[in-house]
Amino acid sequence: LHSAVHHSIKGKENFEPFMKAIGVPDEIIQQIKDIMSFTEIVQNGNDFKITTTTGPKVTVNQFTIGKETEMDAISGEKIKKTVFRLEDNKLKVSLKNIESVTELVDPNTLVAVMTLGDIVYKSTSKRV
């Protein structure tokens, strides 16, 4: 992963089923499903800062690989005792019953995959 990479989501697979499964209310899903989302990832060694902007909502998560942190989840709740791992250039984390893997597949493309049971939500972002 690179320092200060700005990405805009270009594709969302299984967005609505995934959001429903994690408890996001239908009215919120409808409000955000077509809104452009931007993610900025800043890496300094093992320290990361990820800022996600979806419409007027901005979520900032900061963490160090291998150390416990508190995380703001997509559903809006705070998840404590979260530990991020960096394996084969993939940023991995378990959030309750969700497995998340984020990978810079090429210099311009970021793919995030979140799995909850048999629902797989995949978003593909392009550098802006």
Side-chain angles (χ1 to χ4, degrees), residues 5-10 35-41 50-55 57-59 125-128:
V5 177
H6 295 267
H7 286 87
S8 171
I9 292 181
K10 298 296 183 188
I35 292 177
M36 186 66 73
S37 182
F38 296 92
T39 301
E40 178 188 40
I41 300 172
I50 299 178
T51 305
T52 304
T53 305
T54 305
K57 182 174 171 51
V58 178
T59 304
S125 305
K126 294 293 184 181
R127 183 188 296 266
V128 292

Side-chain angles (χ1 to χ4, degrees), residues 25-104:
D26 283 341
E27 64 271 12
I28 302 297
I29 293 171
Q30 294 310 310
Q31 289 172 7
I32 65 173
K33 72 176 185 172
D34 296 319
I35 292 177
M36 186 66 73
S37 182
F38 296 92
T39 301
E40 178 188 40
I41 300 172
V42 178
Q43 179 184 5
N44 183 5
N46 282 332
D47 297 325
F48 284 79
K49 178 180 178 185
I50 299 178
T51 305
T52 304
T53 305
T54 305
K57 182 174 171 51
V58 178
T59 304
V60 179
N61 285 298
Q62 296 185 68
F63 55 89
T64 301
I65 298 298
K67 293 187 179 176
E68 271 189 10
T69 190
E70 183 175 275
M71 176 91 182
D72 288 325
I74 293 174
S75 61
E77 68 181 303
K78 292 206 178 286
I79 302 174
K80 299 178 190 250
K81 297 187 178 183
T82 302
V83 179
F84 282 83
R85 307 173 313 276
L86 191 58
E87 301 169 4
D88 300 324
N89 207 34
K90 296 177 184 177
L91 194 56
K92 298 181 178 184
V93 66
S94 298
L95 303 170
K96 292 178 129 186
N97 49 358
I98 300 168
E99 288 295 320
S100 174
V101 178
T102 303
E103 178 181 13
L104 194 64

